[in-house]
């Protein structure tokens, strides 16, 4: 893996300053940009480690605190390891914060993140890649549909509520997407049941979107997050294989 350099950065949005983590290969050269959308637990050491590994593969990675309207990360205090007994208490505090992030606010922020990356000296010119986890998978899908000319690839892992009956469900943007997509779904995930997986695939297929969705048998919601009890090393490594293959196909020419 390439040596990387990470730092905290601030990004101006229409609703204030979003704190973020930026990491890139430590070689002084620009690299293709990846916007990494956090899960509900937020910007924390686990996500910084994920971003570091992605940067080590040759990418400039930005991880914004999408809850910045409620303060700098960590927005709520988290234990070093999130076990099932702590989840109700944590989500009692996170619930109102999650619900306050409207699609309109999230996509206004996405515009700011993409603009910031377009001006970033350690990022190459051109469309970016996206990857998101849990709620971040929905943000990645929504960003790909809202800013199609600025996104080359988008991935989502153990995504939540990607194809609901709501009028603003992210799958309804399928006909605007030009990026290649990949989804790694958790098995028997209450946040994305089989009917939603099917609706998502049907919408993307009907829109002619290049995509692939796979259910990771035996993996639980949150399988990529090593600081939670849901972590599954085998599923996590499968996620890395799929994610890097997607980014290499779509951004690899710039990285080379």
């Amino acid at each position: 893996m390439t040596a990387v350099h990470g730092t905290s950065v601030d990004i101006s949005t229409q609703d204030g300053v979003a704190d973020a983590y930026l990491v890139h290969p430590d070689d002084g050269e620009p690299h293709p940009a990846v916007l990494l959308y956090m899960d509900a637990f937020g910007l924390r050491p686990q996500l910084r480690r994920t971003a570091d590994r992605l940067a080590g593969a040759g990418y400039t990675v930005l991880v914004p605190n999408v809850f910045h309207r409620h303060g700098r990360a960590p927005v709520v205090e988290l234990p070093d390891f999130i076990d099932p007994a702590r989840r109700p208490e944590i989500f009692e505090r996170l619930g109102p914060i999650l619900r306050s992030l409207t699609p309109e606010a999230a996509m206004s922020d996405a515009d700011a993140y993409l603009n910031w990356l377009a001006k970033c000296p350690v990022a190459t010119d051109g469309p970016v890649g996206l990857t998101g986890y849990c709620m971040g998978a929905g943000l990645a899908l929504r960003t790909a549909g809202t800013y199609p000319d600025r996104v080359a690839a988008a991935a989502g892992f153990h995504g939540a509520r990607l194809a609901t009956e709501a009028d603003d469900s992210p799958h309804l943007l399928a006909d605007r997407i030009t990026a290649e997509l990949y989804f790694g779904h958790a098995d028997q995930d209450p946040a994305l049941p089989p009917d939603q997986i099917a609706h998502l695939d049907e919408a993307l297929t009907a829109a002619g979107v290049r995509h692939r969705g796979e259910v990771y048998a035996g993996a639980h919601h949150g399988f990529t997050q090593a600081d939670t009890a849901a972590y599954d090393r085998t599923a996590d490594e499968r996620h890395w294989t799929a994610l890097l293959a997607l980014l290499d196909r779509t951004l690899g020419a710039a990285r080379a």
Side-chain angles (χ1 to χ4, degrees), residues 134 137-138 141 156-164 169-171 183-201 213-215 221:
C134 183
L141 178 58
F157 299 92
H158 44 84
R161 300 181 59 79
L162 299 181
T164 71
S169 177
H171 82 289
F183 294 95
H185 305 300
D187 192 13
Q188 300 182 35
D189 185 352
L192 194 76
D195 64 320
Q196 285 197 42
I197 294 174
H199 288 328
L200 175 62
D201 182 70
E214 298 180 312
V215 176
H221 183 82

Side-chain angles (χ1 to χ4, degrees), residues 61-229:
V61 186
L62 181 69
V63 192
N65 168 24
V66 304
F67 294 154
H68 64 87
R69 293 169 181 79
H70 299 270
R72 299 180 74 86
V75 176
V76 301
E77 184 178 352
L78 296 171
D80 292 336
F81 183 78
I82 302 167
D83 62 36
R86 298 294 300 274
R87 290 178 69 93
E89 166 199 341
I90 294 168
F91 274 100
E92 184 176 354
R93 287 176 286 153
L94 280 176
I97 297 172
L98 279 162
R99 290 189 290 272
S100 72
L101 185 63
T102 65
E104 294 76 18
M107 291 304 97
S108 173
D109 287 349
D111 182 49
Y113 305 148
L114 293 170
N115 286 339
W116 192 91
L117 282 169
K119 299 174 184 176
C120 180
V122 293
T124 54
D125 294 335
V128 309
L130 311 173
T131 185
Y133 303 87
C134 183
M135 62 169 279
L139 293 176
L141 178 58
R142 194 178 296 280
T143 301
T146 304
Y147 303 105
D149 58 333
R150 299 157 75 179
V151 177
F157 299 92
H158 44 84
R161 300 181 59 79
L162 299 181
T164 71
E165 298 301 320
D167 291 341
D168 59 1
S169 177
H171 82 289
L172 297 176
L173 296 170
D175 61 354
R176 298 189 57 193
I177 294 171
T178 58
E180 181 179 349
L181 307 186
Y182 176 87
F183 294 95
H185 305 300
D187 192 13
Q188 300 182 35
D189 185 352
L192 194 76
D195 64 320
Q196 285 197 42
I197 294 174
H199 288 328
L200 175 62
D201 182 70
E202 290 163 3
L204 295 174
T205 299
V209 178
R210 294 166 296 157
H211 73 283
R212 184 176 182 182
E214 298 180 312
V215 176
Y216 291 17
H220 298 285
H221 183 82
F223 60 76
T224 63
Q225 302 302 302
D227 61 348
T228 76

